[in-house]
Amino acid sequence: MATLVRWLAALWCGALWTVGLLVVPLLFSQLEPMRAAATAGSLFRLLAYGGLGVALAMLLFDRIGRGLPLGAAGRRTVLVMAVGVGLGYFGTRPVMDYGRALIAAGQAVPAWADFGTWHGVASVLYFLVAVLGLRLVAVVR
């Protein structure tokens, strides 16, 4: 059980860093901005749903292993990462989509729905989850 939990932690952390540091910058350097943004959005959606699935699986395997694979620090890290994913993707995306829809319709965007601000918030949350992923890999037994 512990080996499976370690693999899941490494997979999740590796995916976060690979997409954030390598794939998305490469997309924006090679594709037109709209296509790169759409592809990056698909990748972030996959990471969000996949990350929540991995978090659930890790907690389930930890429960089956009587708390030995993750330990208390690992469980807390997984939970904080899951909350970060929830806030970063499912919390910011609807507001960014609303702002984009207003821009597409030629309407003024209220300050609270500014795309740039919310994109920055999502980026910071993504980075924090990725850093927590490093901690998770370090604390998994």
Side-chain angles (χ1 to χ4, degrees):
M1 215 45 70
T3 301
L4 182 57
V5 170
R6 279 194 295 272
W7 273 95
L8 288 172
L11 177 71
W12 191 10
C13 181
L16 288 166
W17 284 99
T18 300
V19 169
L21 283 179
L22 296 175
V23 176
V24 170
L26 182 65
L27 287 173
F28 279 95
S29 73
Q30 300 295 314
L31 300 175
E32 66 176 14
M34 292 301 288
R35 184 169 172 113
T39 305
S42 295
L43 289 171
F44 288 131
R45 180 177 50 254
L46 180 64
L47 278 175
Y49 283 105
L52 292 177
V54 166
L56 183 62
M58 289 177 73
L59 293 171
L60 178 67
F61 293 141
D62 182 63
R63 179 78 172 157
I64 292 169
R66 296 192 169 104
L68 296 177
L70 284 175
R75 275 190 298 283
R76 281 191 303 272
T77 304
V78 168
L79 290 172
V80 172
M81 286 176 72
V83 168
V85 167
L87 291 174
Y89 184 76
F90 300 104
T92 61
R93 192 193 66 177
V95 180
M96 290 190 291
D97 289 346
Y98 176 72
R100 272 195 301 262
L102 289 177
I103 290 170
Q107 298 178 354
V109 178
W112 63 267
D114 178 61
F115 178 81
T117 301
W118 285 101
H119 186 273
V121 169
S123 297
V124 167
L125 286 169
Y126 183 91
F127 176 72
L128 291 174
V129 169
V131 168
L132 284 170
L134 295 174
R135 173 179 160 57
L136 178 64
V137 169
V139 300
V140 170
R141 301 174 197 198

